[in-house]
Amino acid sequence: MAVRRQPTLRDVAAAAGVAVSTASRALTRPGRVNADTADRVVAAAKELGYIPSASARALLSGRTATVALVLPDVTNPFFFGLVRGTGARLRESGYVQVLADTEESAEVELDTLRKLRGQVDGAVLAASRLSDEQIAAAAADLALVVVNRTIPGTPGVLLDTAGGMVQALEHLASLGHRRVAYASGPVTSWSDRRRREALEPAAARLGVELVVLGPYAPVRQAGAAAADAALDAGATAVVAFNDLLAFGVLERLDAREVPVPERLSVIGCDDIFGADLVRPALTTVESPVEEAGRMAADLLLARLEGNRPADDDPDAAPAADPDEASDLDRAPDLDDEPVTRGRDAADPVLLPTHLVVRSSTGPVG
Amino acid sequence: MAVRRQPTLRDVAAAAGVAVSTASRALTRPGRVNADTADRVVAAAKELGYIPSASARALLSGRTATVALVLPDVTNPFFFGLVRGTGARLRESGYVQVLADTEESAEVELDTLRKLRGQVDGAVLAASRLSDEQIAAAAADLALVVVNRTIPGTPGVLLDTAGGMVQALEHLASLGHRRVAYASGPVTSWSDRRRREALEPAAARLGVELVVLGPYAPVRQAGAAAADAALDAGATAVVAFNDLLAFGVLERLDAREVPVPERLSVIGCDDIFGADLVRPALTTVESPVEEAGRMAADLLLARLEGNRPADDDPDAAPAADPDEASDLDRAPDLDDEPVTRGRDAADPVLLPTHLVVRSSTGPVG
DNA sequence: TTGAAAGCGCTAACAT
DNA sequence: ATGTTAGCGCTTTCAA
């Protein structure tokens, strides 16, 4: 615990009998220094247990090798995949991941971004509660990649859950459902709006009556109200904004002894941990969240590595394997997904989702 | 994205027509400077959108206002509570949380700790894969708090799952079970060892035959083997190392159409997300993981704040509410849990766990 | 009360 | 190939 004083480069240089600058070079560009001088320095460094000071390096270079993941709520299982996905990629590239929880508050989010500036090289901003303008402004000060938002000029990754929801509706239509409820999410949710916009024409096309219920908080506890409302609306199936809400619906239906799927089919969204554990197992829209995280990290790293000297700290995590390199190359390649060609240049990456059918959906009874 | 140059303290000073040192004082110790000078500086700072450079400050002070949470596997839901608990406390105190995943590897863990040194003020080390000696050595270089480990001289928080498991056994005994299987976890798990050591005398005392199965990986997929083994061993109940394993057991029993709890009662450990969602709902040992996280953070912060000037950065997050202060006070108070009085002085905080009975346990059939 | 100046650990010119 | 020096942004003596 006592935390003894760290040896500095100066100590290493002294021990090796060279100037600090030589020691620095020996450690960072072994090529540009006499081989045995370099050896001496490296030996001295190892001997002393020298670790370069990240702060000093950051101060000088302006780079921190740190990236933040900014989330409205670390609690929400939906974001776990994002934590994992971004974390994996960042670690691979020798970056440190910092986690920031904005507690569902735009104000906290703004403040967080403000403080992050200078502390991190960039941030992945997921499910932001900010306005497009606020995000665009923040992006001027900090390299940003957004997840599940479209901000002109800011790279982003989109999970096309709207598409998955349409698949859900088609699935229900094919089972004979003609009156389907959508238990909508928070009014502030950009995804929710997109889904409703996609569901309505799809319903018309499929000859299904769509009843929009809610809005509901995207949490289990809200599911009871949604279940009751769906039954009251005479729907034979309900599609929930997310799995948490769907879990709550299932619980309520169980409590009311309404048979699922015989009397009411239930569909969720996200395929979070537990969706296949509940009984009946939940039919849901699976989103490649972890991949979205990886892609977001890739996009960010591409930006960051773009304006940067070539070589690496010898101390940095091993670079990605050569055979993974091709994978990384995919990141900046935004053109092979010509979808939602929006108002602006760099279109976000759109990741398709797909319906996973389990036992909570069945033919209309 | 363009990331324009940040204004520095020098810019602020120039704008306010004072020296940098005055600007610095005005911003950090408003008391020690003329009131309207201070106002001018603050105004200039706000005007320019000045944000102090964390790196520069860290370089000078040696403090980064950053704390790492080091985990073997961010994927494991058990750790989510830890992420939340530590994160909440750290944020409250104006610290940034960084997340480090060691991928279940002692080597990666060691390397991570090495790199963290200097980047962070301290770390919470959970479920470490390192030897006691390695941890103690690391603690010499970095303020450390361990979770679920006892390292002499290093503060720690222990979740007494062994105690919870004994409760589980008592519960089963009271239901008439006389032959109970324990599906054990990884051999490297310190907790697992503790549990077996606690279960054996308890079984003897209760007149229950204990069959230790495994070791199993603490994941769902391993549950099938555990379920089969438990049935084969003629047990009427099985206690699993953790909930993930228990989920797998339930799935397998469902697939084999073995009625739960009629033919086999099942108990998990941790009460992770989903334990009350599965059917039958899982009886399990609830651990106050989130509280453990908070306590670990508290212990660490107590250390860190201990050797530090009094006052706060005006930019720092609001200090904890006064009414929460009493809560914080509890942290350093290691004396009211006189348990496992180990080989050394500062005993770790021991958090009790308790059994939550749900429908996966019932009277022996 | 305020300013000048030193220096945290490191890297990158520049000089040798 | 190596050493010398300046300076990143900030805080903190020390003087004024």
Side-chain angles (χ1 to χ4, degrees):
Chain A
M1 207 76 209
V3 189
R4 60 167 176 263
R5 178 178 151 319
Q6 297 295 331
T8 75
L9 190 56
R10 190 196 214 102
D11 301 323
V12 174
V18 298
V20 268
S21 54
T22 306
S24 171
R25 274 188 292 255
L27 260 18
T28 52
R29 279 122 220 272
R32 299 168 60 101
V33 84
N34 191 315
D36 32 308
T37 316
D39 287 350
R40 268 212 328 282
V41 173
V42 170
K46 172 161 280 180
E47 167 75 21
L48 296 176
Y50 167 73
I51 297 170
S53 150
S55 327
R57 195 172 276 179
L59 178 55
L60 200 58
S61 66
R63 298 189 57 262
T64 58
T66 299
V67 163
L69 174 59
V70 182
L71 303 172
D73 176 15
V74 242
T75 282
N76 187 330
F78 172 75
F79 294 117
F80 294 161
L82 226 46
V83 175
R84 291 207 280 273
T86 55
R89 265 300 190 271
L90 293 173
R91 245 169 286 124
E92 272 172 20
S93 303
Y95 280 75
V96 170
Q97 179 191 40
V98 337
L99 215 57
D101 186 321
T102 62
E103 297 160 10
E104 301 274 6
S105 145
E107 198 185 336
V108 174
E109 189 175 336
L110 219 44
D111 193 55
T112 302
L113 287 174
R114 222 179 61 88
K115 288 168 74 173
L116 246 25
R117 177 183 351 170
Q119 297 231 47
V120 300
D121 293 338
V124 173
L125 187 57
S128 176
R129 299 303 189 238
L130 301 179
S131 71
D132 287 11
E133 294 69 30
Q134 287 174 309
I135 296 179
D141 292 323
L142 180 64
L144 234 48
V145 169
V146 290
V147 175
N148 273 358
R149 276 296 278 270
T150 338
I151 308 295
T154 301
V157 178
L158 246 39
L159 289 163
D160 180 26
T161 49
M165 287 264 163
V166 170
Q167 290 177 40
L169 203 60
E170 288 166 346
H171 168 59
L172 291 172
S174 75
L175 289 170
H177 293 270
R178 290 292 169 261
R179 190 168 169 80
V180 173
Y182 172 61
S184 69
V187 280
T188 57
S189 166
W190 182 89
S191 299
D192 189 69
R193 190 150 23 89
R194 271 181 60 107
R195 293 182 199 171
R196 288 199 314 270
E197 287 165 6
L199 283 175
E200 263 149 29
R205 170 168 61 81
L206 295 164
V208 167
E209 268 185 286
L210 185 74
V211 190
V212 176
L213 308 174
Y216 299 104
V219 298
R220 261 168 76 179
Q221 299 86 295
D228 293 344
L231 289 172
D232 182 56
T236 59
V238 56
V239 181
F241 172 73
N242 71 2
D243 287 342
L244 288 176
L245 192 57
F247 289 160
V249 169
L250 289 176
E251 283 179 295
R252 177 61 169 183
L253 294 175
D254 189 47
R256 286 185 56 178
E257 299 189 349
V258 175
V260 176
E262 291 76 12
R263 168 70 186 81
L264 194 69
S265 285
V266 178
I267 298 185
C269 184
D270 298 340
D271 197 24
I272 64 174
F273 180 85
D276 61 334
L277 289 173
V278 296
R279 287 299 120 93
L282 186 65
T283 294
T284 186
V285 174
E286 182 185 56
S287 299
V289 186
E290 200 163 330
E291 190 182 349
R294 282 195 300 266
M295 293 224 126
D298 280 344
L299 287 175
L300 191 58
L301 292 176
R303 293 281 183 136
L304 297 179
E305 308 280 331
N307 31 327
R308 183 170 104 87
D311 54 12
D312 246 16
D313 181 337
D315 247 336
D321 298 343
D323 42 327
E324 289 184 43
S326 56
D327 232 54
L328 279 162
D329 287 343
R330 280 179 51 214
D333 178 9
L334 306 184
D335 291 4
D336 58 2
E337 291 274 12
V339 218
T340 43
R341 188 155 290 279
R343 15 186 182 177
D344 219 65
D347 287 325
V349 179
L350 223 224
L351 293 178
T353 64
H354 60 273
L355 187 70
V356 181
V357 177
R358 299 205 182 93
S359 41
S360 70
T361 46
V364 63
Chain B
M1 205 80 205
V3 188
R4 60 167 176 262
R5 179 178 148 327
Q6 297 294 332
T8 74
L9 189 57
R10 190 197 214 103
D11 301 323
V12 174
V18 298
V20 268
S21 51
T22 307
S24 171
R25 275 187 292 252
L27 262 17
T28 52
R29 280 125 223 278
R32 299 167 61 98
V33 85
N34 192 316
D36 30 308
T37 316
D39 287 351
R40 270 213 325 285
V41 173
V42 170
K46 172 162 279 178
E47 167 75 21
L48 295 177
Y50 167 74
I51 298 171
S53 150
S55 325
R57 195 171 275 179
L59 178 55
L60 201 59
S61 65
R63 297 190 57 261
T64 58
T66 300
V67 164
L69 174 60
V70 182
L71 305 171
D73 176 15
V74 244
T75 282
N76 186 332
F78 172 75
F79 294 119
F80 294 160
L82 225 47
V83 175
R84 291 208 279 274
T86 54
R89 266 300 190 271
L90 293 173
R91 247 171 285 124
E92 272 173 19
S93 304
Y95 280 75
V96 169
Q97 179 191 40
V98 337
L99 215 58
D101 185 322
T102 62
E103 297 160 10
E104 302 275 5
S105 144
E107 198 186 335
V108 174
E109 188 175 338
L110 219 43
D111 193 55
T112 301
L113 287 174
R114 221 180 62 90
K115 287 169 74 173
L116 246 24
R117 178 184 348 172
Q119 297 232 47
V120 301
D121 293 338
V124 173
L125 187 58
S128 176
R129 300 303 189 234
L130 301 179
S131 70
D132 286 11
E133 293 70 29
Q134 287 173 309
I135 297 181
D141 292 323
L142 181 66
L144 234 49
V145 170
V146 291
V147 174
N148 274 359
R149 276 296 278 269
T150 337
I151 308 295
T154 301
V157 178
L158 247 39
L159 289 163
D160 181 26
T161 48
M165 287 263 164
V166 170
Q167 289 177 40
L169 202 60
E170 287 166 348
H171 167 61
L172 291 172
S174 75
L175 289 170
H177 293 270
R178 289 293 169 261
R179 190 168 168 81
V180 173
Y182 173 60
S184 69
V187 280
T188 57
S189 166
W190 181 89
S191 298
D192 189 70
R193 190 150 23 92
R194 270 181 60 105
R195 292 183 199 169
R196 288 198 314 270
E197 288 165 6
L199 283 174
E200 264 149 28
R205 170 170 59 83
L206 295 164
V208 167
E209 269 184 285
L210 184 73
V211 191
V212 177
L213 309 174
Y216 299 104
V219 298
R220 260 169 78 179
Q221 298 87 293
D228 294 344
L231 288 172
D232 182 58
T236 59
V238 55
V239 180
F241 173 72
N242 72 0
D243 286 343
L244 288 175
L245 192 57
F247 288 159
V249 168
L250 288 176
E251 284 179 294
R252 177 61 170 183
L253 295 175
D254 189 48
R256 286 186 58 178
E257 299 188 349
V258 175
V260 176
E262 292 76 11
R263 168 71 186 79
L264 194 69
S265 285
V266 178
I267 298 185
C269 184
D270 298 340
D271 197 24
I272 64 174
F273 179 86
D276 60 335
L277 289 172
V278 295
R279 287 300 117 95
L282 185 67
T283 294
T284 185
V285 174
E286 182 185 56
S287 299
V289 186
E290 200 162 332
E291 190 182 350
R294 282 194 299 267
M295 293 223 128
D298 281 343
L299 287 176
L300 191 58
L301 291 176
R303 292 281 183 137
L304 297 179
E305 308 280 331
N307 30 330
R308 182 171 104 87
D311 53 14
D312 248 17
D313 180 338
D315 248 338
D321 297 341
D323 41 329
E324 288 183 43
S326 57
D327 232 55
L328 279 162
D329 287 344
R330 281 178 51 214
D333 178 8
L334 307 183
D335 292 4
D336 59 2
E337 292 275 12
V339 217
T340 41
R341 188 154 291 280
R343 10 184 185 181
D344 219 66
D347 286 325
V349 178
L350 222 224
L351 293 178
T353 65
H354 61 272
L355 189 69
V356 180
V357 177
R358 300 205 181 93
S359 41
S360 70
T361 45
V364 63

